[in-house]
Amino acid sequence: METVTLTRRELYDLAWSAPFTTLCKKYQISDVGLRKICVRLAIPLPGTGHWSKIQAGKNVAQQPFTVNKDVEQQVKLTLATNANDAGRDLPNELALLQAAIEADPKIDLLVKDTLTNPDPLTASAQKGLTKKDEYYREGNLLYAGQQQLRISVTPALLNRALCFIDAFVKAMRHRGHSFRITDRESYVVLETV
């Protein structure tokens, strides 16, 4: 796949040269994706009806380019190598990671209705959340004690929350990630896999 790097100014010139629906045919990105990039880079864009007015022979003003050092100054776009790729968004890293996790048969992303064989972190949180001591209540919320997963939940949703957390903890552990629990907070420590 061949990519091209455009500066903000070049992208501005491109955005004012033709409609996005036309431009996206040259790149492997949708017109919506191209517009989002321009918005992210704070590039002024033609308004609604701009290209129709030009087609009708009317004079329309072009918003001036502005320098903005607070945004990215370049963007890479992938050129469309064939008609099937033109105007289609490439999957981003997050989408590829999500697909890999969903395709892994060892990760069960289905949240069960009942808690069975819970991870030790979930079991500890369940013990803390089911204590009747007022110390573990704040209004209508239950919360686990210190050195446990930081979970706040209403009594009515306790089982569902524990089932969800257990599925999450098991998936994270399978991906090679760990957990860090302090007196008041809990974190997932993401390791590269």
Side-chain angles (χ1 to χ4, degrees), residues 2-87:
E2 187 180 347
T3 61
V4 61
T5 301
L6 300 174
T7 64
R8 280 186 72 243
R9 179 62 196 221
E10 290 170 331
L11 190 56
Y12 165 83
D13 292 340
L14 188 67
W16 287 90
S17 68
F20 282 166
T21 53
T22 301
L23 295 174
C24 73
K25 292 177 183 172
K26 182 178 177 183
Y27 303 99
Q28 195 165 339
I29 190 168
S30 67
D31 58 328
V32 173
L34 192 55
R35 180 175 299 279
K36 285 180 180 180
I37 289 172
C38 289
V39 169
R40 188 180 77 226
L41 271 57
I43 295 172
L45 298 175
T48 305
H50 175 85
W51 299 108
S52 299
K53 291 174 187 173
I54 287 182
Q55 207 170 26
K58 295 184 179 181
N59 288 333
V60 286
Q62 181 172 326
Q63 294 181 35
F65 177 78
T66 54
V67 175
N68 187 336
K69 300 284 185 189
D70 296 331
V71 296
E72 298 170 61
Q73 298 302 304
Q74 294 182 335
V75 65
K76 287 186 180 185
L77 297 177
T78 302
L79 294 173
T81 54
N82 60 52
N84 291 336
D85 292 340

